[in-house]
Amino acid sequence: MSTLFACEDPSTWRMVYEKYWDVVEAKTKSKKPGKLLSLDKWYQEELPTLILSRPEKHVTQTELVKLMEWKLTRGKFRPRLQQLVASNSVDTVEKCSRKAFSLLPDVQASISELSALKGVGPATASAVLAAGAPEQTAFMSDEAMESVPGLKPIQYTAKHYALYLGKMVERTEKLNKVDTLQDWTPHRLELCLWAMNIAEQQRLPLLKDVDVKTSSVTDKCSDADADQRPAKKLKTR
């Protein structure tokens, strides 16, 4: 498990953040050529702009299908989820996602609303919300969840997402208190944790010079989590 989450030094987090696209490019080489990079550029840059340009925030059915493709390419591939998401009607997706964004800052209510869509669980719902409200939410990626102490065994439930997001928001607030730029969001933290986790998994040299100075949180939590494995119960994420 990465020790980055317990780090209290914003400059260290920023070093990781600045290497995010380098890690994506490196990971892209192990996937279908060019697919991850183009999908991630779309999710991180184009989709947020589209959502924010609308009078009422929402995603279209086509965007939800592409978001699922991004999610499965960036993480673990589960082909049935792609089929289920594609079976949602255009009207249902727009109506449901519009209501979900309107329910913020009640994140749990928003997650519940989006989870009514076929093929959408808390993780996919969190990806939708993070694209349109990065200052309030973070994507529930496997890599980020595995990097946050005290969350194992991982469960893909709304309750577990609440635990994860609570820790992400708390760390975000602490970083912003000591960083003059004050530009940290839960979404940005997820990018950093994902990048660090992937770099460690694939033994990429990109982040080998990052000196992670941690608090005592890591020592208290990592031992208890080390030998546990994620739960595999839910069909949708």
Side-chain angles (χ1 to χ4, degrees), residues 11 19 85 110 231:
S11 64
K19 291 288 186 180
V85 164
S110 299

Side-chain angles (χ1 to χ4, degrees), residues 118-129:
K118 287 177 283 187
V120 175
T124 303
S126 72
V128 173
L129 295 176

Side-chain angles (χ1 to χ4, degrees), residues 32 36 47 53 56 59 70 85 106 109 118 121 123 153 155 174 178 181 191-192 202 234:
K32 189 173 181 179
L36 175 59
L47 183 59
S53 71
E56 292 181 295
V59 293
W70 163 79
V85 164
D106 188 342
K118 287 177 283 187
Q155 300 173 43
K174 287 182 178 179
V178 294
L181 293 178
L191 299 183
C192 294
Q202 300 192 0
L234 297 191

Side-chain angles (χ1 to χ4, degrees), residues 214-233:
T214 64
S215 66
S216 59
V217 175
T218 303
D219 297 330
K220 293 177 181 177
C221 299
S222 60
D223 291 342
D225 291 341
D227 298 322
Q228 300 184 53
R229 295 292 180 266
K232 298 180 179 178
K233 295 182 179 180

